Amino acid sequence: MTKPTDFAPHGKHLIGSTWVAGSDSFASAPAHGPSHRFSVGTPAHVDAAVQAAETAFETYGVSSRADRAAFLNAIADEIDARGDAITLIGCQETGLPEARLQGERGRTTGQLRLFADHILAGDYLDRRHDPALPERKPLPRPDMKMVQRPIGPVAVFGASNFPLAFSTAGGDTAAALAAGCPVVVKGHSAHPGTAEIVAEAIHAAVARCGMPAGVFSLVQGGRRDVGQALVQHPLIKAVGFTGSLVGGRALFDLCASRNEPIPFFGELGSVNPMFILPGALAARGSEIAKGWAGSLTMGAGQFCTNPGVAVVIDGTDADAFVAAASQALGATGAQTMLTDGIAQAYRSGQARIAENEGVQEVLKTTCQGREATPYLYQTSGEAWLADPALGEEVFGPLGLVVRVRDEDEMRAVARSLHGQLTCTLHMDDSDTALARAYVPILERKAGRLLVNGFPTGVEVADTMVHGGPYPASTNFGATSVGTLSIRRFLRPVCYQNMPDAILPDDLKQAQR
């Protein structure tokens, strides 16, 4: 196993099988520990990486599921072999605690191994067969078979808030490689050392499994022209992205404006509202408030599923809920944010909420530099409905309580929501009829509905949907977590009257 002290970043890009330096470099800005220099990516690096990916697709796209599963498991093994070193540099670069990085590494390797098992099972291929009916009248039917096939090279943008699970070897990369698609990753400048060591793990797995050199590349840093060159490269067939609404929308528009438009699978975040129904509010409002505070401040609130809004019916039970939430949040100390830029954006978002005339301050704290402290505000249902800006995400530990007049106004707030990753109902048995009325509304707003829980923590499983209507994501029919995410990088192909000898191997044993 690699010792933490054994890894010193060399700062190069991985283009196919070669580590390549650039003519320009940038310095990392770790939360603590040493800074390192990394090469700045260029459109030329992007082109070389994508060309290598296209060449690799000629063989990797027709590789066996067994070979790809072995490759995914090898990547997981190589990441685990570098576990301590990954934790050390990941903590230095992001300020996240060791336990968080260790847990995220387990999630990263777990989803790689999950996809290995998933493709071996073969259900994702959705194989279909309509046998020929030569005697059918008035016209005969040809023999037709259908299967899902990989789409080609995929671009993946590393996420700022998940240096492992949504970055170099994260869910997008795992799903694309499982599907048979080579991947070009644009590393996030917030954690370039973590990206590099994970890329080394993938590089080792490529050699170990005899995979084509261009099956994976990492381009570090770079300015906007690098991201633009990647999504507009004519050989890229899809893009996976986790990040801000502004950045994601810009890339989405670039994908749509290409001569050949391609799908942009962007996960852009949301406020993840919680609706606390009257029975639950009366019976255990304070308990829910304390749980909310814990979820709201987890990881300094830097989760795309952070539940930033709680909706309650006004009255004494709402007073008790707000007081309990304020007390719990007030006991939370300052936390280090992932980057200086994220910390500044949090302060700007907090100021935007605080300056809104329809909002009242409940808990005020002070934060500066790279630190975040929690804030709590409240507003009326009427003010919420009048100002859509109150529904915009503040990325950090800031909570907003929306106090509605009655059940009708709570329902109006639910209907007013833009697309969300999650919506939550807190309910008791006495709230069942009311909750039943909310489900048809909320399932149109979010990809995941929860009852009596908190949305932070996204299980990697067959049933998980991590996506939702825009602006939570740019494709409401997709998920970026769970085995269903592989469908983003596949397309159905029908083979008519084709002899078995030239069919894809996955179809030769196709059954109705």
Side-chain angles (χ1 to χ4, degrees), residues 199-239:
E200 287 192 344
I202 300 174
H203 189 208
V206 169
R208 174 174 152 188
C209 297
M211 289 294 166
V215 73
F216 175 84
S217 292
L218 169 70
V219 178
Q220 292 275 35
R223 302 172 181 85
R224 289 184 179 180
D225 61 340
V226 173
Q228 180 174 339
L230 186 55
V231 302
Q232 292 196 308
H233 197 291
L235 296 178
I236 289 293
K237 299 303 178 184
V239 178

Side-chain angles (χ1 to χ4, degrees), residues 49-412:
V50 178
Q51 295 287 352
E54 176 67 14
T55 300
F57 184 60
E58 294 176 6
T59 53
Y60 189 70
V62 294
S63 62
S64 72
R65 287 178 282 131
D67 285 347
R68 295 201 304 277
F71 179 41
L72 294 170
N73 283 320
I75 295 172
D77 292 343
E78 295 290 347
I79 289 173
D80 280 339
R82 295 161 175 76
D84 291 344
I86 290 171
T87 298
L88 177 61
I89 195 163
C91 290
Q92 289 175 345
E93 289 186 322
T94 66
L96 294 171
E98 285 189 13
R100 159 68 192 274
L101 266 296
Q102 290 165 351
E104 192 179 329
R105 175 166 56 87
R107 170 176 168 166
T108 304
T109 56
Q111 61 194 5
L112 286 161
R113 294 188 171 105
L114 176 65
F115 271 113
D117 293 340
H118 184 64
I119 61 174
L120 286 175
D123 294 343
Y124 78 99
L125 294 168
D126 193 20
R127 290 175 286 202
R128 305 183 185 199
H129 183 197
D130 288 311
L133 298 174
E135 306 302 325
R136 191 183 68 173
K137 303 297 184 182
L139 295 173
R141 183 177 76 185
D143 181 89
M144 296 182 293
K145 299 181 178 72
M146 188 275 282
V147 71
Q148 301 286 340
R149 299 297 296 151
I151 60 174
V154 170
V156 172
F157 285 73
S160 64
N161 59 334
F162 278 87
L164 299 173
F166 280 90
S167 291
T168 311
D172 289 342
T173 298
L177 292 176
C181 300
V183 174
V184 177
V185 171
K186 182 183 181 299
H188 199 288
S189 58
H191 41 77
T194 310
E196 181 184 306
I197 192 172
V198 174
E200 287 192 344
I202 300 174
H203 189 208
V206 169
R208 174 174 152 188
C209 297
M211 289 294 166
V215 73
F216 175 84
S217 292
L218 169 70
V219 178
Q220 292 275 35
R223 302 172 181 85
R224 289 184 179 180
D225 61 340
V226 173
Q228 180 174 339
L230 186 55
V231 302
Q232 292 196 308
H233 197 291
L235 296 178
I236 289 293
K237 299 303 178 184
V239 178
F241 173 87
T242 299
S244 70
L245 174 58
V246 173
R249 182 56 198 247
L251 293 174
F252 174 82
D253 290 344
L254 288 174
C255 287
S257 67
R258 290 173 32 142
N259 289 334
E260 177 201 355
I262 58 172
F264 177 81
F265 298 105
E267 189 268 280
L268 310 180
S270 61
V271 297
N272 305 293
M274 305 189 311
F275 293 83
I276 305 165
L277 303 187
L281 185 64
R284 47 193 176 85
S286 295
E287 176 187 342
I288 295 170
K290 293 175 184 176
W292 180 40
S295 182
L296 194 65
T297 58
M298 183 186 298
Q302 298 169 114
F303 290 93
C304 47
T305 54
N306 190 33
V309 173
V311 186
V312 298
I313 294 177
D314 201 9
T316 57
D317 291 336
D319 292 339
F321 173 84
V322 171
S326 179
Q327 182 177 12
L329 289 170
T332 303
Q335 296 174 279
T336 302
M337 301 201 85
L338 292 158
T339 69
D340 293 325
I342 289 174
Q344 179 56 49
Y346 174 60
R347 289 193 292 272
S348 297
Q350 177 269 322
R352 172 175 59 81
I353 296 294
E355 293 166 2
N356 190 295
E357 293 182 357
V359 171
Q360 297 82 48
E361 181 180 274
V362 177
L363 174 67
K364 181 180 181 180
T365 57
T366 301
C367 59
Q368 51 189 318
R370 198 160 162 173
E371 291 189 336
T373 51
Y375 292 83
L376 183 63
Y377 298 92
Q378 63 182 357
T379 191
S380 66
E382 181 180 10
W384 170 278
L385 293 169
D387 188 356
L390 291 176
E392 296 175 4
E393 181 184 30
V394 177
F395 195 62
L398 182 147
L400 176 64
V401 181
V402 181
R403 302 176 65 139
V404 298
R405 289 191 306 270
D406 51 28
E407 294 176 3
D408 287 341
E409 191 167 68
M410 181 177 278
R411 195 174 288 111

